[in-house]
Amino acid sequence: MRVPLISAVLLPLCLAALPGAAQTCKPAIADSDLVAPGKLQMSINPTLPPQQFVDEKGELQGLNVELMREIAKKLCIPLELIRMDFPPMIPAMQSGRFDGVNTGMFWTEERSKIAYTVPYAQQTIALTVTANSPLKLTDAASLAGRKAGVEVNSYQERWLRGVDKEQVAKGAKPIEILTFKTATEVLAALRAGQVETAILIDVTAVEIKRRGLIEITATGLGSAPTTQMYRNKNVAEKVAAALTELKKDGYYDKLFDKYGLTKLPVETFVIRGPGPT
């Protein structure tokens, strides 16, 4: 089945992870630790297949969707996934609109200081061009002087600007960087000729290449863990414990094998970083 890419919208979608769970087991998270008593609310931007996307029926699919549902089952609490674009997610979480961010974001030290981060996967960046492009970008240095599209406020943008700064210091031409709200818009700009290359998460690039829309010219760049993010430490600790259980019972490995994502090489999941100070 071909899954269309569509832009995320600011529209909440309640997905009860386990109907009646509160009636058959005791929730592992206290109401006082949640934004809304009795349910775990997580933001997600469904524009990054196969991590998260919307299928032809308008339903959320992908590794992060399935993983979060299974975590909610372990915690015996209903789950609500709130669809929205990535840029406002962290400020919205900090202001108390929801409990956490579930969108496969890259872990950084800065992010680990503004919320409680729980890394759960490993990820890299890919350089892509249109399927019929003669352009061959074999490494980060080959981006010099090129027009590149990237998702705004993302790890990919930070990495790209770091590459640009480093290369310019060596005498290379600057990269012309254009930012967009979603990966969908980055791809649209690439196909429209607004940019020469789209800077994407590797697994998303592989999925879009499979559909025949792009070519990957370089991958494995900027490797870093991907993380979930939480405003409350107790919630983050409970989620980390649930992930550890899912690793032990084999669910974690089977899910990652299903979607072809790279597993975090640990047996125990924990909060990484100091959290808010």
Side-chain angles (χ1 to χ4, degrees), residues 3-33:
V3 182
L5 282 173
I6 66 173
S7 297
V9 293
L10 295 172
L11 176 67
L13 177 65
C14 183
L15 299 170
L18 186 62
Q23 300 174 12
T24 59
C25 58
K26 182 178 179 180
I29 301 175
D31 284 350
S32 58
D33 290 328

Side-chain angles (χ1 to χ4, degrees), residues 11 34 52 58 70 72 90 96 130 136 146 160 212 239 263-264 276:
L11 176 67
L34 298 167
Q52 61 260 358
E70 202 65 21
I90 295 176
T130 54
K136 299 301 180 184
R146 300 297 181 182
L160 183 61
V239 167
K263 304 161 192 171
L264 196 66

Side-chain angles (χ1 to χ4, degrees), residues 173-204:
K173 293 181 179 180
I175 304 168
E176 185 176 348
I177 300 172
L178 281 71
T179 60
F180 302 87
K181 287 197 302 182
T182 67
T184 303
E185 293 180 10
V186 174
L187 286 164
L190 177 67
R191 299 184 70 190
Q194 290 179 262
V195 297
E196 295 173 278
T197 177
I199 312 302
L200 302 173
I201 295 171
D202 54 1
V203 292
T204 298

Side-chain angles (χ1 to χ4, degrees), residues 60-186:
L60 287 172
Q61 304 290 348
L63 181 140
N64 288 332
V65 176
E66 292 188 36
L67 182 61
M68 202 65 230
R69 286 173 178 167
E70 202 65 21
I71 288 171
K73 288 181 182 179
K74 286 286 186 183
L75 299 176
C76 191
I77 189 166
L79 171 67
E80 183 177 308
L81 293 176
I82 300 173
R83 305 185 196 184
M84 63 189 302
D85 293 332
F86 178 71
M89 280 190 185
I90 295 176
M93 181 192 67
Q94 290 176 308
S95 67
R97 283 188 56 194
F98 42 79
D99 299 293
V101 175
N102 176 40
T103 189
M105 74 170 70
F106 283 87
W107 184 93
T108 67
E109 185 176 352
E110 291 80 5
R111 286 172 176 169
S112 76
K113 292 179 180 178
I114 62 176
Y116 298 100
T117 54
V118 181
Y120 67 98
Q122 196 74 22
Q123 203 157 248
T124 61
I125 293 168
L127 310 183
T128 72
V129 297
T130 54
N132 59 351
S133 173
L135 189 61
K136 299 301 180 184
L137 304 172
T138 57
D139 55 22
S142 64
L143 291 169
R146 300 297 181 182
K147 187 180 291 187
V150 68
E151 191 174 359
V152 69
N153 295 337
S154 64
Y155 177 88
Q156 302 93 279
E157 181 190 0
R158 174 182 171 178
W159 172 84
L160 183 61
R161 293 193 184 280
V163 167
D164 182 48
K165 183 178 180 180
E166 181 180 341
Q167 295 301 318
V168 168
K170 295 178 180 178
K173 293 181 179 180
I175 304 168
E176 185 176 348
I177 300 172
L178 281 71
T179 60
F180 302 87
K181 287 197 302 182
T182 67
T184 303
E185 293 180 10
V186 174

